[in-house]
Amino acid sequence: RNPSKKSTPAKRTPTKKEPPRLIPKPPGYPKPETELKFSVLESTGAWAANDSRADPPNKGQKPAPRGPSDCLEGVTFVITGILDSLERDQAEDYVKRHGGKVTGSVSGRTSYVLVGMDCGPSKIKKAKEHGTVLIDEDGLFAMVQMLADAAQEKKPERKPTPADEAPEP
């Protein structure tokens, strides 16, 4: 190669940008904080000293609706506190199974903060600073149910085939 000769950058093929996907909102949300099932720890010192998480108060008592595997695609959650019926790892798995993403800290890209009892005060404070919507476990379930219902309505009805209309012998 000749060091005095500059190389031309490779031409880039423009990529088609897909329109940004709308973030789904559960019916009735955002709710006032007084209507959400959550509480905030007064100080983080107690949490750090006692790192054993309590079981959810209604563990395994609520049916979790099933939705399409991509219904939460593009939606980012941060989970804080003890949820009503799901353990944290179950909640993470539930979100991921429906195409969502779970992160550990609130940022401008966080869609929702999933709150439970004894939430970390810093996550709630950051959510408020970023204008992130707080939802509880019921809100997550309502969102997935709403998206499942919407997907069901979009499915085209099966057209009858000649075999369906043939008279029985």
Side-chain angles (χ1 to χ4, degrees), residues 76-80 103-114 120 122-134:
T76 303
F77 292 87
V78 170
I79 302 171
T80 182
T103 61
S105 58
V106 181
S107 73
R109 293 183 179 188
T110 306
S111 310
Y112 294 102
V113 175
L114 182 58
S122 62
K123 287 183 181 176
I124 300 298
K125 181 182 174 194
K126 263 193 160 179
K128 288 178 182 177
E129 288 171 3
H130 289 288
T132 305
V133 176
L134 303 179

Side-chain angles (χ1 to χ4, degrees), residues 9-67:
K11 288 186 180 181
R12 292 188 178 172
T13 308
T15 57
K16 287 185 181 178
K17 280 193 171 181
E18 289 188 27
R21 184 174 168 156
L22 294 174
I23 303 297
K25 290 188 179 176
Y29 285 80
K31 283 186 175 180
E33 285 185 23
T34 54
E35 292 182 27
L36 294 172
K37 297 177 189 170
F38 84 108
S39 66
V40 179
L41 279 175
E42 293 302 317
S43 70
T44 54
W47 180 254
N50 182 15
D51 195 18
S52 60
R53 293 195 176 117
D55 280 340
N58 297 308
K59 184 176 179 180
Q61 301 287 322
K62 287 186 190 175
R66 300 197 82 161

Side-chain angles (χ1 to χ4, degrees), residues 89-168:
D89 58 339
Q90 292 173 319
E92 282 186 33
D93 182 54
Y94 184 77
V95 167
K96 290 175 184 176
R97 201 171 50 232
H98 290 92
K101 182 178 175 184
V102 178
T103 61
S105 58
V106 181
S107 73
R109 293 183 179 188
T110 306
S111 310
Y112 294 102
V113 175
L114 182 58
V115 295
M117 302 309 287
D118 299 338
C119 294
S122 62
K123 287 183 181 176
I124 300 298
K125 181 182 174 194
K126 263 193 160 179
K128 288 178 182 177
E129 288 171 3
H130 289 288
T132 305
V133 176
L134 303 179
I135 64 170
D136 51 20
E137 185 181 278
D138 291 340
L140 174 63
F141 289 169
M143 183 187 317
V144 171
Q145 184 64 59
M146 174 192 75
L147 295 168
D149 293 346
Q152 195 67 28
E153 288 173 11
K154 283 185 182 178
K155 278 188 179 177
E157 285 189 36
R158 188 174 145 304
K159 292 182 180 179
T161 63
D164 292 336
E165 297 171 2
E168 289 186 35

